[in-house]
Amino acid sequence: NAGVTQTPKFQVLKTGQSMTLQCAQDMNHNSMYWYRQDPGMGLRLIYYSASEGTTDKGEVPNGYNVSRLNKREFSLRLESAAPSQTSVYFCASWELQGYEQYFGPGTRLTVT
Amino acid sequence: SQQGEEDPQALSIQEGENATMNCSYKTSINNLQWYRQNSGRGLVHLILIRSNEREKHSGRLRVTLDTSKKSSSLLITASRAADTASYFCATDDGTGRRALTFGSGTRLQVQP
């Protein structure tokens, strides 16, 4: 059981470039989430997907798009990266009957 | 905006001492959870306390919740060097989206 996996682990982009962060979970969870964590701060919700086929905006969705490809996979896309998007990005999943979220190891993104 | 604010922002203690972290939140909640984050890693769930509970124990962890003051505390007893990490409170408002709102965290350093 790998839990929640994320790729890549590190990425450096130039302003204006695009990229997709990948996330997969093998726990058959319905809900999946993307957060960003800026230095010295807690996590802020970007987008979430309550179930396959649905996505909703969180607290800080501007500049991002998401795709819930299937029950396992939830990707986050930056269409035109900006330095303000330099952050660590975490994916998480949540079982329907449970209370805790399970987190991936994170992707450290730097936009120059 | 951050729902939870943690206090202190940083805490340094000696091994064997107790560590207490506090969290305040703003809106009504369904439950409050505490997570730990080791440096460079994802978050790991520690303990959950429901809105109708006042205190909960799990091993060396003790969590209290005061809904009238909208605050919670996490006590780690007999701390170990391995407890060195950042600790975050997270609130679940019980809405259908099941998304957590995280505090800004307390960085705990346990000196051996």
Side-chain angles (χ1 to χ4, degrees):
Chain A
N1 230 358
V4 180
T5 57
Q6 292 182 237
T7 55
K9 285 188 168 56
F10 302 94
Q11 184 71 47
V12 178
L13 292 178
K14 291 188 183 338
T15 296
Q17 287 185 319
S18 62
M19 79 161 295
T20 299
L21 282 64
Q22 306 286 355
C23 173
Q25 52 91 10
D26 61 2
M27 297 173 282
N28 202 37
H29 289 172
N30 286 300
S31 301
M32 297 185 72
Y33 305 82
W34 276 106
Y35 294 92
R36 60 177 286 173
Q37 184 179 33
D38 299 318
M41 294 183 68
L43 279 68
R44 291 185 293 170
L45 182 65
I46 305 171
Y47 269 95
Y48 66 100
S49 171
S51 60
E52 187 179 351
T54 68
T55 60
D56 283 288
K57 295 178 181 179
E59 184 186 352
V60 288
N62 291 346
Y64 305 96
N65 284 302
V66 290
S67 295
R68 183 75 183 266
L69 304 169
N70 47 55
K71 193 170 186 179
R72 288 187 66 249
E73 298 171 288
F74 189 37
S75 63
L76 178 73
R77 182 157 178 86
L78 287 70
E79 290 293 351
S80 179
S84 61
Q85 294 177 305
T86 293
S87 190
V88 182
Y89 291 84
F90 289 99
C91 177
S93 69
W94 198 340
E95 178 191 28
L96 197 60
Q97 274 76 41
Y99 288 96
E100 66 180 279
Q101 290 193 6
Y102 294 82
F103 284 83
T107 294
R108 189 173 295 274
L109 175 67
T110 302
V111 183
T112 61
Chain B
S1 62
Q2 295 287 313
Q3 163 79 315
E5 296 299 327
E6 270 129 301
D7 166 52
Q9 289 187 336
L11 180 61
S12 182
I13 59 175
Q14 298 292 319
E15 223 170 13
E17 293 181 338
N18 295 341
T20 300
M21 290 159 261
N22 303 297
C23 165
S24 61
Y25 57 92
K26 296 174 184 169
T27 62
S28 62
I29 61 171
N30 188 41
N31 64 65
L32 186 144
Q33 304 178 34
W34 285 89
Y35 285 79
R36 182 183 73 205
Q37 183 181 35
N38 290 85
S39 181
R41 308 291 292 272
L43 279 71
V44 175
H45 182 264
L46 292 176
I47 192 166
L48 174 149
I49 186 165
R50 293 183 173 80
S51 59
N52 61 353
E53 296 176 315
R54 291 296 167 259
E55 188 171 311
K56 198 160 184 181
H57 297 254
S58 176
R60 294 184 297 113
L61 304 180
R62 173 177 165 250
V63 171
T64 61
L65 179 65
D66 187 335
T67 53
S68 67
K69 295 181 179 176
K70 291 188 169 57
S71 68
S72 174
S73 68
L74 172 67
L75 168 68
I76 304 175
T77 60
S79 62
R80 306 166 181 166
D83 294 329
T84 294
S86 291
Y87 292 81
F88 295 89
C89 66
T91 53
D92 173 8
D93 60 11
T95 61
R97 68 176 194 164
R98 306 200 70 196
L100 295 175
T101 305
F102 285 84
S104 51
T106 293
R107 292 186 306 280
L108 174 66
Q109 177 79 38
V110 181
Q111 307 285 352

